Amino acid sequence: MSLRAYTARCRLNKLRRAACRLFTSETMVKAIKRLEFEIESRRLLVRKDRHLWKDIGERQKVLNWLLSYNPLWLRIGLETIYGELIALESNSDIMGLAMFILSRLLWNPDIAAEYRHPTVPHLYRDGHEEALSKFTLKKLLLLVCFLDHAKQSRIIDHDPCLFCKDAEFKNSKDVLLAFSRDFLSGEGDLSRHLGFLGLPVSHVQTPLDEFDFAVTNLAVDLQCGIRLVRTMELLTKNWSLSKKLRVPAISRLQKMHNVDVALHVLKERGIQLKDECGASIESRDIVDRHRERTLALLWKIAFAFQVDISLNVEQLEEEISFLKNTHNIKTKMATLVSCSNQSKVRKTSSTYSSESYSENVKLLMDWVNAVCGFYNTKVSSPVFLCIYFQVLYILHPCFLLFNTCVCGMSSLILDCDHSLTPINKNQGTKMMDTVPPKQLHSILCIPFSILLVVITYLSFLCSRLLDLRKETRAARLIQSVWRKYRLNTELKLHQEKDKAARIIQSTVINFLSHRRIQKKVNAAIFIQKHWRRYLAERKTLKLKKAKLEETKSESATVIQALFRGFKARQLAGKMRAARTIQAWFRRYRARKEYTAVVKATCVIQGYFKSKRQRTWFLKMKASTVTIQRRWRETLTAKTILLQFLATKEQQAACLIQAAYRGFKERHKFHQQKAAALVIQKHIRARQEGRLECIKYIKTRKAAIKLQAFFRGWLVRKKILDQKQKKRLLCFSAAAYHHLSAIKIQRAFRIHLVLKHAQMQISSVLCVQRWFRARLKQKKSLQDHQKIIKIQRMVRRWLKQRNEAATTIQRAVRKFLFYKHRRKLKNGIIKFQALWRGYSWRKKNDTAKTKALRCSLEMANKESKEENKLCNRTAVAIDYLLKYKHISYILAALKHLEVVTRLSPLCCENMAQSGAIFTIFILIRNCNRSIPCMEVIKYSVQVLLNVSKYERTTQAVYEVENSVDTLLDLLQMYREKAGDKTSEKGGSIFTKTCCLLAILLKDSKRASDIRSTSRAASRIHSLYRLTARKHKMDAERTLSKHKMHTSMNGSFFVPVTPVRTKVVSRIKPDWVLRKDNMQEIVDPLQAIRMVMDTLGTAYH
């Protein structure tokens, strides 16, 4: 470290100590306690709508206010208040101060650790924001008040400005008023409130404080007199001189007044303001830029104040006495060591020439002689010291740069990279002999200005070395103690090494003998191991052969059992087929018997109907006889009879028509009723089949018996009729001829009547016969079709049942075969895995792998039920619907993002719970702060995961104003896409584009959006803005790569996103497909995907 850097560090430490003393003073401590009480009692309170640690804009505003302070003042204030050192590269390290303010003033890690959520990161419990606001308010007010008090106390020697020249505020009161106006609740004049607490602020930075006091040109900068007065203030510590200045110094009179103020201070100090020629130095000489007198004034100021200010008389006297004592001890030790070269200790009393010097200069020369006494050299006068300097410069110019002193004596620079060798008297004489004669005269003629320069330089060097004396003494003490300790340590180490070497030798000898014995034992064990392994292998082979034979026998048994089962199943199938055939045959035979019964019934019905017709015919015949008799009786009756018969015919026709229509309607009704009853008949047919068969047999026997009795009656009646005829022939032989004519007439008439009646009856019978035949035919056809249909359905059902049974048998056999093969394969693989794992663990298992295995087993045992996806979904939805705090909402959204990404069932549960509507409301209520951006980011990701699943896409779209909300979100974060903050804003933009494209993938939804011109125009405007930004970025990239065209000959062309419709390739994460596309991160490609899905042109 250089002397300048060490001096700067010492001054900074001195400044820190002064600031700590000021901060821990009694008045300051009482005021701080009152301020803390005011904050804790909530009389000073930050507004609830101001979030100093969340809102980026508010944080930036407070940071800009604090960076209005001078970096040196701000560093001292922060280090004093926090009681710790801030690691900065320099006092002007603005970035380091800004990072400290953001991480320690506007944030507190201890408070965050106290209120941190036990499981959810970046989530804090209630009370965190209030505690952080109190902490920030207390530290900020302490910083402003302390800096104001420190500026009033002038703890920095050169007293820099408290605020930067380009700062927004120039006094502490404005800072407090701005903070009170923007952040405090119910507070007006904050400076007045702090004044009552004992922390008044009164500093106001004036234009004079901001004046640039640096001197770059002596001919111009000292003309106005302001810098001279500032110099006098710093040298005399009289801070009231600036009030006498006339600023700005524009006229000559104002400048002369300012210079007179500085010269008056010098005259009061007793300094003679005369140059080397004896002329007095006045204010007009400085204003008129008189070079010699200006330089003479500066040398007067430097010589008058440098020795008195830079030297501490008490420390210098103490150092001189210490050097003398050290020199005496060294001389006595040298006398004891070398008795032949005894030397007396010289008295260091200074004997100077006739020149008169001040007491400080004499004390300085005493210090020079005390230092030179270590090298047996004595300096009797400052003139002799000047001669040494000039000779050294002539002989070794690389050590001492002295040319500026010869030319104008304006500066003297010592090269710290080299060390000067001390010069004794003999060496000085030899050096003088080597100087050229031409330069010897210039060396011996020492002007008074050079003498002043040498004395000034010596005072500066002495003050710097006095600052280092504590470190040098401490270093010497540490070196001596360390050398003594090192000697003792090395001695003990040598003894320990000797003892250890002996122990090692004995141990090595024992080890080698033990090793020889161990080798023999190992060889015997090795032979035994190989022999036992050979025996174990033979035993294993025998066991394998026995196991193989047992396996073969078991396999044969299994195959035989399977074959027997196959034969048994085949026989059972044949038995079922035989039973089926028997059942069909029995049904066919029953149906045939039933048909015969129906035919016999029809025959009986026919005979019954014929008997009824015959009875009716006999009645008609009797009626005809009656009509003939009536005809003979009266002719009138004949006409009436004819009319009656005509009327009868008409009525019969109407009756037949009515009967036909009634029969038709009854047939239709019976047909409908039969359709309902036929199923019941078929169901009951099997149950009553046997009873019907018995009934049919009885009915058949009864019909046969009736037919036999009827035929016997006919034969008997015929025989009786023949006998009666024979009797009548015999009995009526006489009257036969008489009656013959009558019979002929009667027969002829009967023939005519019967012919006419028969014609009418035959027509009616023909119609009835045809109608009945038609009905029977139609009914038989329907019954036949129904029977055929039932047979077809039964055969189809049986065929399907057989096919299904065959398919099931085939599938079961295939399943059992694959199951057996899979079981066998899994057993083999498991056995191989167990053997490999056992062999690997036997070879490579270590304590670390065992501990890792145990930890995995413990983790599996300690896994909880609430970590399942379904339970996490229920808890997250409950948090989202119940709680309003942003930390709970953010935690719930993170859980929902995970479960919707991994499980389709969780997506369906979320769509049914109504959480999607809540998420859209949450997006509408968020702003552009960092927490809200986090909430929006996870909300959009959750909606994107849900919409990727086809069953829940409609639930996202059906939310009221869902598309308008997404378009508003795109409009809000359109400026963020593409810059450094696109980690949050850009990801929101691209994810929202992907979500909108998935929702518009359906053609119906896309047509609905196209029909609303406002939504389409907003999408077009977003595309134009994104395309313009992409074009600007491409032009900037092109300009950066122009320099490479001349080197490699190729021109860089930025890649433009290709128009491809990739929405159909965006699938959920649980769909494992090679063409499954990840989410798009490029803003232009994302907005183009939306337009492609919508089906609109780019222009």
Side-chain angles (χ1 to χ4, degrees), residues 585-596:
F585 177 75
R586 292 189 185 110
R587 186 172 61 184
Y588 168 74
R589 190 169 59 187
R591 190 186 304 113
K592 190 174 182 181
E593 292 176 355
Y594 176 74
T595 306

Side-chain angles (χ1 to χ4, degrees), residues 884-897:
K884 301 300 181 182
H885 198 273
I886 193 170
S887 58
Y888 291 103
I889 294 174
L890 188 59
L893 290 174
K894 289 180 180 179
H895 286 294
L896 288 177
E897 192 274 331

